Amino acid sequence: MTDQSAAPAEQLQNLQLDEVTGEKVSKSELKKRLKQRENERKKKEKAAAAPPKPQSAKKTNVEDEESNLTPNQYFEIRSRNINQLRQTKSPNPYPHKFNVTTDLRDFIAEHESCKTGEQRKGIEVRVGGRIYTKRAAGTKLVFYDIRSKGVKMQVMCQAQESSGSIPFEAQHEHLRRGDIIGIVGYPGRTNPKTRDEGQLSIFAKEVVLLTPCLHQLPGEYYGFKDQEQRHRQRYLDLIMNEGTRNVFVTRSKMITFIRNYFDSRDFVEVETPMMNQIAGGATAKPFITHHNDLNMDLFMRVAPELYLKMLVVGGLERVYELGRQFRNEGIDLTHNPEFTTCEFYMAYADVYDVMDMTEELVSGLVKHVTGGFETKYHTQTGEEYSVDWKAPWKRIEMIPALEAATGEKFPPGDELHTDETNAFLKQVLKKTGVECSPPQTNARMLDKLVGEFIEEKCINPTFITGHPQMMSPLAKYHRELPGLCERFEAFVCKKEIVNAYTELNDPFDQRLRFEEQARQKDQGDDEAQMIDENFCQSLEFGLPPTGGWGMGIDRLTMFLTDRYSIKEVLAFPFMKDEASGKKTAAEEVGIQPLSEEGIAHK
């Protein structure tokens, strides 16, 4: 018992004190701890004496940094970078040519059948397009979304697939959103790990910068929506908004259809003067320009009608013209100072033949463009109209409709031009609360009443007929109703799209009509027509019985593309001046203009 208790006491006497921890440990353990602490001390001293290691700079994405710049800052930096490339040609940012052999629309049709992961390396694809998005996954993989001809396509660029004289990174480091690039590659479909089906893509072997975009494109989320800026910068509107492109493609299809319609019916397309000594052919206020050499004021044409009828006199029995007209009038949602019309004149036809042709042409046009006869149209206030363009169209007689709307019995047609009728119409305006600004001629007051009580009800295509002669100085008198003429106007969604009539071919009657117009001009009506002596003389050589017709292309385009503003269907609508103090790219990088010797036009 005594021996067993003595052993632990002897062991405790052999333990050593660890002064750091306050523990009692064996001699060997203490020696081990001291040695370890000495090594740690030396290591710290060595580290403290060593020069500090340079911190590796974190690699940043240049494009992410550029996205935080203001548009002006981006433009300045981008202009300098591209100007440097212009000088070094590494690469040339504005090459002369890139051979494009593939249409993206055909590419999709031919290779949509590609299966996930399939690559058709044996087929070379050469396309051009504008970059809309750029996504990099490291330094060896870059994705682009490009657009061309209204089609969007993904481009997949892998370092191992890269070919050509320029290294992979050098091909892509200068490319930004908005740049136009050329791609050489092959078709295929990606094989994503997170989805079952891959995306049809172009697998690029080479990407070439064809034209850089110096400006920062609007962000994808907010887009480019400011209406006035869209109209001023139509190029940027087309880049950012696919709907704008579709409007102009539709407009082109409409014009092509109209041309084919008339060409297939033996009409001859002609061109008539844009500048005239007389502003004739329509009731409108003209623009005035000046010919310096002749020291003569000229009028921009308000309509080609008189010239076209003179061609019919000369034996071109079926003529039409698609072209610009100019009217110095107000600007609003449906009016622009210059606009496009189509007019045709057909010998041995009358207003009733032309009415049938209008239904056939416009209904066929709507079917061709939209695929059916029914369309939707939304006004500025959001009101929706459902329009049925199918023939036959509704027909309304003007005077009986006004009598029903106002509760007044109108004077006979052959008295509608008199002073007594003028007083009557003023009373009707007062009774109905319809306003007509001066000059209150009979024609203007009747037109205001028609606009208030008849046009407002014309949603589906509607013919308004039975116009008074004094409202239609170029239309032939009605064969049954004295004082009226054989004319119609076609209205859709409360707006006129077509005006047509049996043409007045009696030179005696025509002169009297022009003199009545001259009387209205003396009363202060700036829109009244002047006497065109050359046209009157042409009628003396004989104009055959003729049907004439005019249609506004812009307004019809508005209805078929569901755009309530005419500016949306004009590539470059008229806009007020906007002061701009912004520098150009050449000014930004200090390029001086070269001197040039002017060469006179031959």
Side-chain angles (χ1 to χ4, degrees):
M1 182 74 178
T2 305
D3 293 341
Q4 291 178 352
S5 61
E10 186 178 345
Q11 290 176 0
L12 288 173
Q13 290 177 357
N14 292 332
L15 293 180
Q16 306 290 319
L17 176 65
D18 186 340
E19 295 180 353
V20 175
T21 63
E23 298 176 297
K24 290 276 191 177
V25 295
S26 66
K27 189 175 182 180
S28 61
E29 175 63 20
L30 180 60
K31 187 177 180 181
K32 181 180 176 182
R33 291 186 180 187
L34 292 175
K35 186 176 182 180
Q36 184 178 359
R37 289 169 186 159
E38 179 66 16
N39 290 337
E40 289 178 356
R41 182 185 65 78
K42 290 180 179 180
K43 189 175 180 180
K44 287 180 181 178
E45 289 178 354
K46 185 178 180 181
K53 290 183 179 180
Q55 291 185 349
S56 58
K58 186 178 180 182
K59 193 170 183 180
T60 59
N61 188 319
V62 177
E63 285 130 281
D64 288 344
E65 292 180 352
E66 290 175 346
S67 66
N68 296 321
L69 299 175
T70 66
N72 286 340
Q73 290 172 332
Y74 182 92
F75 176 67
E76 292 171 8
I77 294 172
R78 181 75 161 144
S79 295
R80 287 197 294 268
N81 291 342
I82 295 303
N83 188 50
Q84 187 175 1
L85 293 181
R86 290 177 64 247
Q87 296 167 354
T88 63
K89 305 295 184 184
S90 299
N92 180 4
Y94 298 99
H96 289 73
K97 170 74 174 176
F98 178 82
N99 190 28
V100 173
T101 60
T102 308
D103 187 312
L104 278 185
R105 296 169 297 184
D106 298 334
F107 176 87
I108 292 175
E110 292 171 11
H111 302 292
E112 188 64 40
S113 59
C114 266
K115 296 179 181 178
T116 296
E118 180 183 356
Q119 297 180 357
R120 299 177 178 178
K121 295 188 176 183
I123 301 174
E124 183 180 79
V125 173
R126 298 181 66 93
V127 301
R130 187 182 294 274
I131 298 173
Y132 278 76
T133 60
K134 178 182 180 182
R135 308 180 302 279
T139 59
K140 305 298 183 183
L141 178 62
V142 182
F143 290 93
Y144 297 100
D145 286 335
I146 66 166
R147 288 185 189 172
S148 174
K149 298 183 179 179
V151 174
K152 181 179 177 181
M153 178 56 57
Q154 176 175 273
V155 179
M156 183 175 180
C157 310
Q158 303 171 89
Q160 66 266 30
E161 295 286 345
S162 179
S163 63
S165 58
I166 302 176
F168 180 81
E169 288 192 22
Q171 287 184 29
H172 300 277
E173 65 178 339
H174 300 295
L175 302 184
R176 298 292 185 271
R177 287 185 68 228
D179 289 355
I180 297 171
I181 59 174
I183 302 115
V184 182
Y186 56 86
R189 193 177 288 276
T190 58
N191 189 16
K193 297 178 180 179
T194 57
R195 297 193 311 271
D196 293 335
E197 185 178 2
Q199 185 173 343
L200 180 64
S201 306
I202 298 172
F203 288 77
K205 293 190 289 186
E206 183 179 6
V207 178
V208 182
L209 174 61
L210 302 181
T211 309
C213 177
L214 302 182
H215 289 273
Q216 192 176 46
L217 289 187
E220 290 181 89
Y221 181 77
Y222 292 104
F224 188 48
K225 304 300 182 186
D226 185 281
Q227 197 171 69
E228 180 166 340
Q229 290 305 314
R230 284 179 46 243
H231 297 155
R232 290 187 184 278
Q233 298 177 279
R234 185 65 84 191
Y235 45 88
L236 183 55
D237 184 23
L238 286 164
I239 290 172
M240 296 302 300
N241 297 310
E242 192 65 25
T244 301
R245 182 183 187 278
N246 293 337
V247 167
F248 295 116
V249 170
T250 298
R251 182 187 177 104
S252 177
K253 289 179 180 177
M254 291 170 58
I255 292 174
T256 300
F257 181 91
I258 292 168
R259 277 200 167 98
N260 290 338
Y261 178 89
F262 289 116
D263 291 344
S264 65
R265 287 160 178 78
D266 203 28
F267 280 78
V268 177
E269 184 175 8
V270 296
E271 294 176 308
T272 59
M274 290 281 186
M275 296 183 295
N276 309 292
Q277 291 178 292
I278 298 292
T283 303
K285 187 175 181 179
F287 283 97
I288 301 174
T289 187
H290 186 77
H291 192 293
N292 291 334
D293 195 41
L294 298 177
N295 193 25
M296 176 191 297
D297 282 343
L298 296 170
F299 299 100
M300 301 298 291
R301 76 175 183 190
V302 295
E305 177 170 342
L306 302 186
Y307 284 109
L308 293 174
K309 285 194 280 194
M310 285 191 275
L311 293 176
V312 178
V313 170
L316 293 176
E317 296 178 352
R318 296 186 177 193
V319 294
Y320 77 96
E321 181 173 11
L322 273 158
R324 287 287 200 181
Q325 319 307 329
F326 307 87
R327 298 185 182 179
N328 197 356
E329 299 170 351
I331 301 174
D332 58 28
L333 290 175
T334 59
H335 294 87
N336 194 67
E338 55 177 316
F339 57 98
T340 303
T341 67
C342 177
E343 293 200 15
F344 81 79
Y345 293 84
M346 182 177 178
Y348 313 112
D350 65 9
V351 70
Y352 304 105
D353 298 317
V354 174
M355 202 176 291
D356 293 338
M357 290 179 68
T358 303
E359 290 178 330
E360 180 184 36
L361 168 61
V362 178
S363 295
L365 171 62
V366 173
K367 179 70 181 299
H368 173 74
V369 170
T370 69
F373 293 106
E374 296 184 4
T375 61
K376 300 284 187 183
Y377 178 72
H378 296 83
T379 67
Q380 185 183 23
T381 58
E383 189 176 2
E384 180 180 276
Y385 297 144
S386 297
V387 185
D388 185 356
W389 299 84
K390 189 180 295 183
W393 295 357
K394 186 178 180 180
R395 305 183 182 195
I396 297 176
E397 288 284 338
M398 180 186 291
I399 300 302
L402 287 178
E403 290 177 339
T406 63
E408 296 285 343
K409 179 66 176 176
F410 276 60
D414 55 359
E415 297 179 12
L416 289 174
H417 65 286
T418 64
D419 292 337
E420 290 77 11
T421 299
N422 185 277
F424 166 79
L425 291 173
K426 288 179 179 177
Q427 290 179 353
V428 174
L429 289 177
K430 185 176 181 180
K431 173 185 174 181
T432 57
V434 177
E435 295 185 1
C436 177
S437 60
Q440 291 187 334
T441 62
N442 295 15
R444 283 173 54 82
M445 288 189 286
L446 269 173
D447 187 58
K448 292 295 183 181
L449 290 170
V450 171
E452 180 70 24
F453 296 111
I454 301 179
E455 295 173 9
E456 283 295 309
K457 297 179 181 178
C458 299
I459 305 301
N460 285 331
T462 305
F463 292 122
I464 299 177
T465 64
H467 295 66
Q469 284 181 241
M470 48 89 178
M471 293 179 71
S472 314
L474 298 171
K476 196 163 188 173
Y477 63 87
H478 201 287
R479 65 194 78 178
E480 296 174 358
L481 302 172
L484 304 185
C485 62
E486 293 192 352
R487 175 188 177 188
F488 73 79
E489 292 176 290
F491 280 79
V492 178
C493 298
K494 306 179 182 181
K495 301 296 180 182
E496 177 195 342
I497 59 168
V498 173
N499 185 28
Y501 30 82
T502 303
E503 297 298 331
L504 179 61
N505 62 342
D506 180 343
F508 304 96
D509 194 0
Q510 181 64 80
R511 180 165 291 280
L512 293 175
R513 302 279 192 92
F514 275 149
E515 289 176 356
E516 168 60 22
Q517 286 283 298
R519 188 181 71 84
Q520 292 183 18
K521 185 170 281 290
D522 290 340
Q523 292 179 354
D525 189 350
D526 292 334
E527 297 181 351
Q529 298 186 42
M530 294 177 273
I531 299 176
D532 190 323
E533 295 292 351
N534 190 33
F535 174 68
C536 289
Q537 186 178 25
S538 73
L539 293 185
E540 295 169 1
F541 284 85
L543 172 68
T546 299
W549 176 94
M551 180 173 72
I553 300 298
D554 310 304
R555 202 168 283 178
L556 186 59
T557 306
M558 290 169 58
F559 295 137
L560 297 189
T561 58
D562 194 12
R563 297 294 190 274
Y564 63 77
S565 171
I566 193 172
K567 290 182 178 180
E568 296 289 346
V569 301
L570 299 174
F572 299 98
F574 183 82
M575 304 291 290
K576 292 180 181 179
D577 278 343
E578 181 184 46
S580 174
K582 297 179 180 178
K583 289 184 178 180
T584 65
E587 291 170 335
E588 194 63 58
V589 298
I591 294 178
Q592 298 298 318
L594 297 175
S595 59
E596 286 190 9
E597 293 184 7
I599 300 175
H601 177 68
K602 296 180 179 178

